[in-house]
Amino acid sequence: MEVVNPRTALLSNFEVLTLLRELDAKHVARTKAALRIKKEEDAAGKPTQDTHIEEVSENLRTVELEAIQYLSAEYQPMQQQCEAGVTQLVRDLAPFGLTKAEKLQVVNLAPTEAVELYVIVEELEDRLGDRMDHILSVVSRSLQGNKDPPPPPPMYNTTVLESMAQHVEVYQEEEGQWEHDANNLEFDDFGEGVGVEGDLDMEDGGE
């Protein structure tokens, strides 16, 4: 086999995740089918052969599953991306004059703050100027399609609220109830466990 073109296109993390999930689903389906056939052959008394089960490198499966787990994490923007949104995002980034690598990073990282663009785009201020917010809004629009709608505000029964308001008791303090003179308090330092006045003072020797 000969590789004609080593890199015809750059794949985003979303595309890699989609491909890995498809490969994983196919592998699981083939494995289940092979096990089912083997079980039927065992029940029929036929000689068992492992030719039905596809041999896959253990290391390869580990890398695939760990990559799927990493790209599927909640903090990754792929959870809010879709194929149409990524395609539209790449088109909307065309007027900004970004390189292919910079566009790829914008798609993969989906920046939401201007400070994140500084690690993606070289000479950001000179090249984009005041258009940084425009890029952020473009990225935000690409993520909107996959976001769940916000939950509706809670509904309150006005009758219940009125009934609760009628049973609210108002507590009024009596005049002078909490007034006291600290000078009239008497310090009691007698009895076991009671602190002795001056017990935190330093002794004359400084000990």
Side-chain angles (χ1 to χ4, degrees):
M1 183 179 64
E2 180 183 358
V3 178
V4 179
N5 193 336
R7 188 174 63 186
T8 58
L10 300 174
L11 292 179
S12 66
N13 288 348
F14 174 79
E15 293 169 308
V16 172
L17 177 60
T18 302
L19 177 60
L20 289 176
R21 282 175 172 170
E22 291 177 357
L23 294 175
D24 180 60
K26 290 179 181 179
H27 172 76
V28 172
R30 285 194 297 265
T31 302
K32 288 183 177 179
L35 292 175
R36 177 177 52 80
I37 294 174
K38 185 176 183 298
K39 186 177 180 180
E40 292 175 355
E41 291 179 349
D42 292 342
K46 296 181 180 180
T48 58
Q49 297 180 358
D50 293 336
T51 55
H52 300 295
I53 301 179
E54 181 184 6
E55 293 185 3
V56 179
S57 171
E58 229 177 89
N59 293 336
L60 176 60
R61 283 293 296 160
T62 300
V63 171
E64 289 179 350
L65 294 177
E66 288 184 353
I68 291 175
Q69 183 179 5
Y70 170 74
L71 296 175
S72 302
E74 294 182 358
Y75 58 83
Q76 295 283 7
M78 280 72 75
Q79 298 295 324
Q80 303 174 12
Q81 289 178 332
C82 60
E83 184 177 353
V86 170
T87 303
Q88 188 61 43
L89 174 58
V90 175
R91 292 174 182 170
D92 293 340
L93 291 175
F96 297 99
L98 303 178
T99 64
K100 290 184 178 180
E102 290 170 343
K103 290 179 183 178
L104 181 64
Q105 290 301 318
V106 170
V107 173
N108 288 342
L109 301 178
T112 57
E113 300 290 342
V115 67
E116 298 176 75
L117 292 175
Y118 282 91
V119 299
I120 299 175
V121 182
E122 294 184 1
E123 300 177 353
L124 176 64
E125 294 181 355
D126 294 337
R127 293 169 57 190
L128 296 180
D130 57 354
R131 295 189 297 168
M132 288 185 286
D133 290 338
H134 191 186
I135 288 185
L136 297 178
S137 63
V138 167
V139 174
S140 179
R141 285 200 305 270
S142 71
L143 301 177
Q144 295 297 324
N146 243 15
K147 284 186 177 178
D148 297 329
M155 301 295 293
Y156 296 104
N157 190 326
T158 56
T159 304
V160 175
L161 291 178
E162 293 175 358
S163 176
M164 292 174 60
Q166 293 176 358
H167 291 82
V168 174
E169 296 183 0
V170 179
Y171 177 78
Q172 295 182 348
E173 297 180 359
E174 297 181 1
E175 186 177 356
Q177 180 179 358
W178 299 102
E179 294 180 359
H180 64 278
D181 188 356
N183 295 324
N184 293 332
L185 293 178
E186 191 172 332
F187 181 78
D188 182 7
D189 58 357
F190 300 99
E192 184 179 358
V194 179
V196 179
E197 187 176 7
D199 60 356
L200 295 181
D201 294 342
M202 296 291 293
E203 296 182 359
D204 295 338
E207 296 178 356

PDB file of all heavy atoms in Angstrom, residues 96-122:
ATOM      1  N   PHE A  96     -11.532  36.420   8.211  1.00  0.00           N
ATOM      2  CA  PHE A  96     -10.587  36.935   9.195  1.00  0.00           C
ATOM      3  C   PHE A  96      -9.131  36.679   8.807  1.00  0.00           C
ATOM      4  O   PHE A  96      -8.217  37.121   9.515  1.00  0.00           O
ATOM      5  CB  PHE A  96     -10.870  36.311  10.566  1.00  0.00           C
ATOM      6  CG  PHE A  96     -12.218  36.660  11.115  1.00  0.00           C
ATOM      7  CD1 PHE A  96     -13.277  35.780  11.001  1.00  0.00           C
ATOM      8  CD2 PHE A  96     -12.444  37.886  11.726  1.00  0.00           C
ATOM      9  CE1 PHE A  96     -14.530  36.093  11.503  1.00  0.00           C
ATOM     10  CE2 PHE A  96     -13.684  38.215  12.234  1.00  0.00           C
ATOM     11  CZ  PHE A  96     -14.729  37.319  12.114  1.00  0.00           C
ATOM     12  N   GLY A  97      -8.904  35.969   7.728  1.00  0.00           N
ATOM     13  CA  GLY A  97      -7.538  35.742   7.266  1.00  0.00           C
ATOM     14  C   GLY A  97      -6.717  34.844   8.166  1.00  0.00           C
ATOM     15  O   GLY A  97      -5.489  35.015   8.255  1.00  0.00           O
ATOM     16  N   LEU A  98      -7.324  33.896   8.813  1.00  0.00           N
ATOM     17  CA  LEU A  98      -6.599  32.966   9.679  1.00  0.00           C
ATOM     18  C   LEU A  98      -5.962  31.856   8.853  1.00  0.00           C
ATOM     19  O   LEU A  98      -6.463  31.485   7.788  1.00  0.00           O
ATOM     20  CB  LEU A  98      -7.545  32.362  10.719  1.00  0.00           C
ATOM     21  CG  LEU A  98      -8.300  33.336  11.632  1.00  0.00           C
ATOM     22  CD1 LEU A  98      -9.225  32.579  12.560  1.00  0.00           C
ATOM     23  CD2 LEU A  98      -7.328  34.197  12.423  1.00  0.00           C
ATOM     24  N   THR A  99      -4.889  31.305   9.357  1.00  0.00           N
ATOM     25  CA  THR A  99      -4.268  30.160   8.706  1.00  0.00           C
ATOM     26  C   THR A  99      -5.102  28.906   8.990  1.00  0.00           C
ATOM     27  O   THR A  99      -5.977  28.904   9.867  1.00  0.00           O
ATOM     28  CB  THR A  99      -2.841  29.945   9.217  1.00  0.00           C
ATOM     29  OG1 THR A  99      -2.885  29.606  10.618  1.00  0.00           O
ATOM     30  CG2 THR A  99      -2.007  31.204   9.027  1.00  0.00           C
ATOM     31  N   LYS A 100      -4.810  27.818   8.263  1.00  0.00           N
ATOM     32  CA  LYS A 100      -5.549  26.571   8.488  1.00  0.00           C
ATOM     33  C   LYS A 100      -5.347  26.057   9.905  1.00  0.00           C
ATOM     34  O   LYS A 100      -6.295  25.576  10.540  1.00  0.00           O
ATOM     35  CB  LYS A 100      -5.097  25.507   7.479  1.00  0.00           C
ATOM     36  CG  LYS A 100      -5.537  25.771   6.046  1.00  0.00           C
ATOM     37  CD  LYS A 100      -5.123  24.624   5.137  1.00  0.00           C
ATOM     38  CE  LYS A 100      -5.603  24.875   3.704  1.00  0.00           C
ATOM     39  NZ  LYS A 100      -5.216  23.760   2.796  1.00  0.00           N
ATOM     40  N   ALA A 101      -4.132  26.164  10.397  1.00  0.00           N
ATOM     41  CA  ALA A 101      -3.848  25.705  11.757  1.00  0.00           C
ATOM     42  C   ALA A 101      -4.609  26.537  12.792  1.00  0.00           C
ATOM     43  O   ALA A 101      -5.119  26.007  13.784  1.00  0.00           O
ATOM     44  CB  ALA A 101      -2.348  25.755  12.033  1.00  0.00           C
ATOM     45  N   GLU A 102      -4.700  27.843  12.572  1.00  0.00           N
ATOM     46  CA  GLU A 102      -5.418  28.709  13.509  1.00  0.00           C
ATOM     47  C   GLU A 102      -6.918  28.417  13.467  1.00  0.00           C
ATOM     48  O   GLU A 102      -7.582  28.399  14.510  1.00  0.00           O
ATOM     49  CB  GLU A 102      -5.144  30.173  13.165  1.00  0.00           C
ATOM     50  CG  GLU A 102      -3.706  30.600  13.478  1.00  0.00           C
ATOM     51  CD  GLU A 102      -3.370  31.965  12.918  1.00  0.00           C
ATOM     52  OE1 GLU A 102      -4.104  32.453  12.026  1.00  0.00           O
ATOM     53  OE2 GLU A 102      -2.361  32.551  13.345  1.00  0.00           O
ATOM     54  N   LYS A 103      -7.450  28.196  12.275  1.00  0.00           N
ATOM     55  CA  LYS A 103      -8.873  27.834  12.172  1.00  0.00           C
ATOM     56  C   LYS A 103      -9.145  26.525  12.907  1.00  0.00           C
ATOM     57  O   LYS A 103     -10.159  26.389  13.599  1.00  0.00           O
ATOM     58  CB  LYS A 103      -9.279  27.701  10.709  1.00  0.00           C
ATOM     59  CG  LYS A 103      -9.328  29.004   9.934  1.00  0.00           C
ATOM     60  CD  LYS A 103      -9.724  28.742   8.488  1.00  0.00           C
ATOM     61  CE  LYS A 103      -9.714  30.022   7.668  1.00  0.00           C
ATOM     62  NZ  LYS A 103     -10.056  29.764   6.244  1.00  0.00           N
ATOM     63  N   LEU A 104      -8.234  25.578  12.748  1.00  0.00           N
ATOM     64  CA  LEU A 104      -8.410  24.286  13.409  1.00  0.00           C
ATOM     65  C   LEU A 104      -8.421  24.444  14.921  1.00  0.00           C
ATOM     66  O   LEU A 104      -9.247  23.823  15.612  1.00  0.00           O
ATOM     67  CB  LEU A 104      -7.285  23.336  12.983  1.00  0.00           C
ATOM     68  CG  LEU A 104      -7.332  21.928  13.578  1.00  0.00           C
ATOM     69  CD1 LEU A 104      -8.576  21.193  13.120  1.00  0.00           C
ATOM     70  CD2 LEU A 104      -6.080  21.145  13.200  1.00  0.00           C
ATOM     71  N   GLN A 105      -7.540  25.281  15.443  1.00  0.00           N
ATOM     72  CA  GLN A 105      -7.496  25.502  16.883  1.00  0.00           C
ATOM     73  C   GLN A 105      -8.756  26.214  17.386  1.00  0.00           C
ATOM     74  O   GLN A 105      -9.241  25.928  18.485  1.00  0.00           O
ATOM     75  CB  GLN A 105      -6.248  26.306  17.263  1.00  0.00           C
ATOM     76  CG  GLN A 105      -4.951  25.544  17.105  1.00  0.00           C
ATOM     77  CD  GLN A 105      -4.916  24.280  17.938  1.00  0.00           C
ATOM     78  OE1 GLN A 105      -5.345  24.273  19.086  1.00  0.00           O
ATOM     79  NE2 GLN A 105      -4.427  23.196  17.353  1.00  0.00           N
ATOM     80  N   VAL A 106      -9.268  27.131  16.594  1.00  0.00           N
ATOM     81  CA  VAL A 106     -10.507  27.805  16.977  1.00  0.00           C
ATOM     82  C   VAL A 106     -11.647  26.797  17.054  1.00  0.00           C
ATOM     83  O   VAL A 106     -12.471  26.825  17.982  1.00  0.00           O
ATOM     84  CB  VAL A 106     -10.848  28.935  15.979  1.00  0.00           C
ATOM     85  CG1 VAL A 106     -12.242  29.474  16.241  1.00  0.00           C
ATOM     86  CG2 VAL A 106      -9.819  30.059  16.084  1.00  0.00           C
ATOM     87  N   VAL A 107     -11.708  25.892  16.089  1.00  0.00           N
ATOM     88  CA  VAL A 107     -12.760  24.866  16.090  1.00  0.00           C
ATOM     89  C   VAL A 107     -12.580  23.923  17.278  1.00  0.00           C
ATOM     90  O   VAL A 107     -13.552  23.575  17.961  1.00  0.00           O
ATOM     91  CB  VAL A 107     -12.748  24.074  14.768  1.00  0.00           C
ATOM     92  CG1 VAL A 107     -13.714  22.896  14.840  1.00  0.00           C
ATOM     93  CG2 VAL A 107     -13.107  24.976  13.605  1.00  0.00           C
ATOM     94  N   ASN A 108     -11.343  23.517  17.546  1.00  0.00           N
ATOM     95  CA  ASN A 108     -11.091  22.545  18.618  1.00  0.00           C
ATOM     96  C   ASN A 108     -11.292  23.138  20.010  1.00  0.00           C
ATOM     97  O   ASN A 108     -11.834  22.475  20.900  1.00  0.00           O
ATOM     98  CB  ASN A 108      -9.661  22.005  18.510  1.00  0.00           C
ATOM     99  CG  ASN A 108      -9.485  21.060  17.339  1.00  0.00           C
ATOM    100  OD1 ASN A 108     -10.452  20.533  16.790  1.00  0.00           O
ATOM    101  ND2 ASN A 108      -8.252  20.846  16.936  1.00  0.00           N
ATOM    102  N   LEU A 109     -10.856  24.374  20.199  1.00  0.00           N
ATOM    103  CA  LEU A 109     -10.907  24.978  21.537  1.00  0.00           C
ATOM    104  C   LEU A 109     -12.180  25.773  21.776  1.00  0.00           C
ATOM    105  O   LEU A 109     -12.560  25.993  22.928  1.00  0.00           O
ATOM    106  CB  LEU A 109      -9.680  25.875  21.755  1.00  0.00           C
ATOM    107  CG  LEU A 109      -8.321  25.177  21.633  1.00  0.00           C
ATOM    108  CD1 LEU A 109      -7.185  26.178  21.816  1.00  0.00           C
ATOM    109  CD2 LEU A 109      -8.203  24.050  22.645  1.00  0.00           C
ATOM    110  N   ALA A 110     -12.827  26.222  20.689  1.00  0.00           N
ATOM    111  CA  ALA A 110     -14.063  27.011  20.802  1.00  0.00           C
ATOM    112  C   ALA A 110     -13.920  28.105  21.857  1.00  0.00           C
ATOM    113  O   ALA A 110     -14.611  28.090  22.885  1.00  0.00           O
ATOM    114  CB  ALA A 110     -15.254  26.106  21.121  1.00  0.00           C
ATOM    115  N   PRO A 111     -13.019  29.077  21.657  1.00  0.00           N
ATOM    116  CA  PRO A 111     -12.771  30.100  22.685  1.00  0.00           C
ATOM    117  C   PRO A 111     -14.009  30.951  22.955  1.00  0.00           C
ATOM    118  O   PRO A 111     -14.765  31.281  22.042  1.00  0.00           O
ATOM    119  CB  PRO A 111     -11.648  30.949  22.066  1.00  0.00           C
ATOM    120  CG  PRO A 111     -11.784  30.742  20.590  1.00  0.00           C
ATOM    121  CD  PRO A 111     -12.253  29.331  20.420  1.00  0.00           C
ATOM    122  N   THR A 112     -14.189  31.264  24.219  1.00  0.00           N
ATOM    123  CA  THR A 112     -15.311  32.119  24.629  1.00  0.00           C
ATOM    124  C   THR A 112     -14.835  33.440  25.219  1.00  0.00           C
ATOM    125  O   THR A 112     -15.655  34.315  25.472  1.00  0.00           O
ATOM    126  CB  THR A 112     -16.183  31.395  25.666  1.00  0.00           C
ATOM    127  OG1 THR A 112     -15.367  31.011  26.785  1.00  0.00           O
ATOM    128  CG2 THR A 112     -16.810  30.138  25.061  1.00  0.00           C
ATOM    129  N   GLU A 113     -13.538  33.570  25.463  1.00  0.00           N
ATOM    130  CA  GLU A 113     -12.971  34.795  26.010  1.00  0.00           C
ATOM    131  C   GLU A 113     -11.857  35.282  25.083  1.00  0.00           C
ATOM    132  O   GLU A 113     -11.162  34.481  24.442  1.00  0.00           O
ATOM    133  CB  GLU A 113     -12.405  34.557  27.417  1.00  0.00           C
ATOM    134  CG  GLU A 113     -13.427  34.079  28.432  1.00  0.00           C
ATOM    135  CD  GLU A 113     -14.424  35.159  28.805  1.00  0.00           C
ATOM    136  OE1 GLU A 113     -14.116  36.352  28.553  1.00  0.00           O
ATOM    137  OE2 GLU A 113     -15.490  34.824  29.352  1.00  0.00           O
ATOM    138  N   ALA A 114     -11.688  36.616  25.030  1.00  0.00           N
ATOM    139  CA  ALA A 114     -10.674  37.196  24.147  1.00  0.00           C
ATOM    140  C   ALA A 114      -9.270  36.726  24.510  1.00  0.00           C
ATOM    141  O   ALA A 114      -8.421  36.542  23.635  1.00  0.00           O
ATOM    142  CB  ALA A 114     -10.751  38.720  24.197  1.00  0.00           C
ATOM    143  N   VAL A 115      -9.015  36.477  25.790  1.00  0.00           N
ATOM    144  CA  VAL A 115      -7.678  36.064  26.214  1.00  0.00           C
ATOM    145  C   VAL A 115      -7.308  34.712  25.614  1.00  0.00           C
ATOM    146  O   VAL A 115      -6.123  34.411  25.396  1.00  0.00           O
ATOM    147  CB  VAL A 115      -7.610  36.019  27.756  1.00  0.00           C
ATOM    148  CG1 VAL A 115      -8.494  34.903  28.305  1.00  0.00           C
ATOM    149  CG2 VAL A 115      -6.180  35.844  28.233  1.00  0.00           C
ATOM    150  N   GLU A 116      -8.287  33.881  25.315  1.00  0.00           N
ATOM    151  CA  GLU A 116      -8.000  32.574  24.726  1.00  0.00           C
ATOM    152  C   GLU A 116      -7.508  32.703  23.293  1.00  0.00           C
ATOM    153  O   GLU A 116      -6.790  31.822  22.802  1.00  0.00           O
ATOM    154  CB  GLU A 116      -9.257  31.692  24.775  1.00  0.00           C
ATOM    155  CG  GLU A 116      -9.747  31.397  26.175  1.00  0.00           C
ATOM    156  CD  GLU A 116     -11.039  30.605  26.166  1.00  0.00           C
ATOM    157  OE1 GLU A 116     -10.991  29.396  25.874  1.00  0.00           O
ATOM    158  OE2 GLU A 116     -12.110  31.184  26.440  1.00  0.00           O
ATOM    159  N   LEU A 117      -7.888  33.763  22.624  1.00  0.00           N
ATOM    160  CA  LEU A 117      -7.446  33.951  21.243  1.00  0.00           C
ATOM    161  C   LEU A 117      -5.954  34.256  21.157  1.00  0.00           C
ATOM    162  O   LEU A 117      -5.326  34.023  20.122  1.00  0.00           O
ATOM    163  CB  LEU A 117      -8.248  35.084  20.590  1.00  0.00           C
ATOM    164  CG  LEU A 117      -9.738  34.808  20.337  1.00  0.00           C
ATOM    165  CD1 LEU A 117     -10.422  36.052  19.808  1.00  0.00           C
ATOM    166  CD2 LEU A 117      -9.923  33.659  19.352  1.00  0.00           C
ATOM    167  N   TYR A 118      -5.374  34.793  22.227  1.00  0.00           N
ATOM    168  CA  TYR A 118      -3.950  35.145  22.202  1.00  0.00           C
ATOM    169  C   TYR A 118      -3.059  33.908  22.065  1.00  0.00           C
ATOM    170  O   TYR A 118      -1.942  34.006  21.555  1.00  0.00           O
ATOM    171  CB  TYR A 118      -3.575  35.916  23.468  1.00  0.00           C
ATOM    172  CG  TYR A 118      -3.994  37.373  23.425  1.00  0.00           C
ATOM    173  CD1 TYR A 118      -5.232  37.773  23.915  1.00  0.00           C
ATOM    174  CD2 TYR A 118      -3.148  38.341  22.893  1.00  0.00           C
ATOM    175  CE1 TYR A 118      -5.626  39.105  23.873  1.00  0.00           C
ATOM    176  CE2 TYR A 118      -3.530  39.672  22.855  1.00  0.00           C
ATOM    177  CZ  TYR A 118      -4.762  40.048  23.342  1.00  0.00           C
ATOM    178  OH  TYR A 118      -5.154  41.377  23.302  1.00  0.00           O
ATOM    179  N   VAL A 119      -3.531  32.764  22.530  1.00  0.00           N
ATOM    180  CA  VAL A 119      -2.729  31.544  22.417  1.00  0.00           C
ATOM    181  C   VAL A 119      -3.046  30.783  21.133  1.00  0.00           C
ATOM    182  O   VAL A 119      -2.456  29.732  20.886  1.00  0.00           O
ATOM    183  CB  VAL A 119      -2.957  30.625  23.642  1.00  0.00           C
ATOM    184  CG1 VAL A 119      -2.538  31.321  24.916  1.00  0.00           C
ATOM    185  CG2 VAL A 119      -4.408  30.186  23.742  1.00  0.00           C
ATOM    186  N   ILE A 120      -3.962  31.292  20.336  1.00  0.00           N
ATOM    187  CA  ILE A 120      -4.359  30.625  19.095  1.00  0.00           C
ATOM    188  C   ILE A 120      -3.850  31.382  17.877  1.00  0.00           C
ATOM    189  O   ILE A 120      -3.293  30.780  16.948  1.00  0.00           O
ATOM    190  CB  ILE A 120      -5.895  30.478  19.025  1.00  0.00           C
ATOM    191  CG1 ILE A 120      -6.404  29.617  20.188  1.00  0.00           C
ATOM    192  CG2 ILE A 120      -6.318  29.886  17.689  1.00  0.00           C
ATOM    193  CD1 ILE A 120      -7.923  29.519  20.247  1.00  0.00           C
ATOM    194  N   VAL A 121      -4.023  32.697  17.881  1.00  0.00           N
ATOM    195  CA  VAL A 121      -3.709  33.529  16.715  1.00  0.00           C
ATOM    196  C   VAL A 121      -2.433  34.317  16.993  1.00  0.00           C
ATOM    197  O   VAL A 121      -2.330  35.007  18.014  1.00  0.00           O
ATOM    198  CB  VAL A 121      -4.879  34.487  16.395  1.00  0.00           C
ATOM    199  CG1 VAL A 121      -4.565  35.305  15.145  1.00  0.00           C
ATOM    200  CG2 VAL A 121      -6.170  33.700  16.203  1.00  0.00           C
ATOM    201  N   GLU A 122      -1.492  34.222  16.097  1.00  0.00           N
ATOM    202  CA  GLU A 122      -0.258  34.988  16.226  1.00  0.00           C
ATOM    203  C   GLU A 122      -0.507  36.459  15.870  1.00  0.00           C
ATOM    204  O   GLU A 122      -1.261  36.767  14.959  1.00  0.00           O
ATOM    205  CB  GLU A 122       0.826  34.409  15.307  1.00  0.00           C
ATOM    206  CG  GLU A 122       1.282  33.007  15.698  1.00  0.00           C
ATOM    207  CD  GLU A 122       2.420  32.534  14.824  1.00  0.00           C
ATOM    208  OE1 GLU A 122       2.848  33.304  13.946  1.00  0.00           O
ATOM    209  OE2 GLU A 122       2.884  31.394  15.014  1.00  0.00           O
TER     210      GLU A 122
END
